[in-house]
Amino acid sequence: MTRGNLFYRYRGYPQTPSRGRGGSPSERARTAAQYATIPHHPDSDAGRQAYAQQVQDWHSQYGTDAIPNSQRPYPLKPGTAPIGSRECFSCGMVTAPPHQSYECTNMPLPTQETKWPQSIVPEGTPFITQAILYGPGAKTSCFQANVDDGAMVNVLDLRTFMKASRNLRKLIPSKRILRMANGSEVPSHGIWVGTFQWNKAKVRTSFKVFDSGGIWNMLIGQPLLEQLQATHDYTTDTITL
């Protein structure tokens, strides 16, 4: 039985952003600038002391359990990214490629600080597209697919595969175990091999099948992106095949 990481060491779940939510970079920046009324101090001894005082003053004024909003913006921790920079709402950092709060393995920020950017700038969603798998004869199945160039394998969710299994080729047995970023290990239920289509691009490829817990239906990882010679522009959030 072989073991392998599903994602590279610095990755968790799909992170590649899309333009479907959160607006363009300029739109997010304009929105964030409207609420940047509290100084964001540098990551220095003096900056951290000033930040601690800001937090203390905020809770003294609004209470321990208050939730930030546009009328009561929350201080940002020194060293974190500005609001609207497609930062993770959990740790406040920006990585390349970006990651999201539900997959973050860094030390989380205080509750109010994670809620503050969420209230004014929606967090980006994974890059989502539509893909087709070909079965025997003329049978096809269409899937909603997440695209993640940090994934080391291509993946089909077990439940998604079972729903479409009558139109697809049977799985090739596999004993591989996939290790997630949080250390959990998930057994593969097999490997699907066949023809894959994304827009006009069509190739013969393979997908590992395992239970993602409903996180995604299909995950297009680095192997397939390289096979398609796809390029991802993180500035414009576009993928070119």
Side-chain angles (χ1 to χ4, degrees):
M1 185 172 294
T2 59
R3 286 175 165 80
N5 292 329
L6 174 56
F7 296 93
Y8 292 108
R9 288 183 299 171
Y10 60 90
R11 304 297 297 280
Y13 295 108
Q15 303 174 16
T16 308
S18 74
R19 294 171 293 169
R21 190 177 69 175
S24 67
S26 59
E27 290 171 340
R28 294 194 302 274
R30 284 196 298 270
T31 301
Q34 297 176 13
Y35 304 105
T37 57
I38 296 180
H40 189 183
H41 295 289
D43 191 15
S44 62
D45 289 341
R48 288 187 287 273
Q49 290 177 7
Y51 165 74
Q53 186 62 54
Q54 287 177 320
V55 171
Q56 181 177 330
D57 292 344
W58 192 93
H59 287 286
S60 295
Q61 182 175 358
Y62 301 114
T64 304
D65 299 324
I67 299 299
N69 56 39
S70 60
Q71 303 302 314
R72 50 186 186 214
Y74 198 84
L76 297 179
K77 182 180 179 180
T80 58
I83 289 179
S85 57
R86 190 151 269 171
E87 73 280 15
C88 166
F89 290 162
S90 178
C91 69
M93 304 301 291
V94 173
T95 56
H99 74 274
Q100 295 183 263
S101 54
Y102 70 86
E103 60 195 318
C104 185
T105 58
N106 298 327
M107 181 69 70
L109 295 168
T111 300
Q112 282 84 357
E113 194 163 347
T114 64
K115 296 295 185 183
W116 165 227
Q118 294 182 50
S119 68
I120 60 171
V121 182
E123 188 173 40
T125 57
F127 196 108
I128 297 176
T129 188
Q130 298 293 319
I132 297 173
L133 297 185
Y134 285 76
K139 295 179 180 179
T140 61
S141 296
C142 185
F143 298 87
Q144 178 174 284
N146 287 33
V147 183
D148 188 340
D149 51 13
M152 299 175 68
V153 295
N154 309 314
V155 176
L156 269 174
D157 175 68
L158 176 61
R159 296 178 185 177
T160 301
F161 174 81
M162 294 304 296
K163 290 179 181 179
S165 60
R166 67 169 64 183
N167 295 328
L168 300 174
R169 298 184 184 279
K170 293 183 178 180
L171 298 180
I172 299 173
S174 172
K175 295 183 178 180
R176 184 164 186 174
I177 292 178
L178 301 175
R179 183 179 297 107
M180 306 301 291
N182 62 6
S184 63
E185 296 184 339
V186 182
S188 171
H189 290 265
I191 301 173
W192 178 87
V193 177
T195 301
F196 164 91
Q197 183 174 350
W198 180 7
N199 293 337
K200 295 181 180 180
K202 185 186 292 186
V203 295
R204 184 171 176 82
T205 191
S206 64
F207 282 83
K208 305 290 191 299
V209 177
F210 83 99
D211 188 355
S212 74
I215 297 174
W216 62 78
N217 295 324
M218 171 187 285
L219 177 60
I220 299 174
Q222 188 182 57
L224 184 49
L225 292 173
E226 291 181 348
Q227 189 177 357
L228 294 168
Q229 297 183 330
T231 58
H232 180 203
D233 186 331
Y234 290 100
T235 302
T236 59
D237 296 340
T238 57
I239 292 179
T240 303
L241 301 178

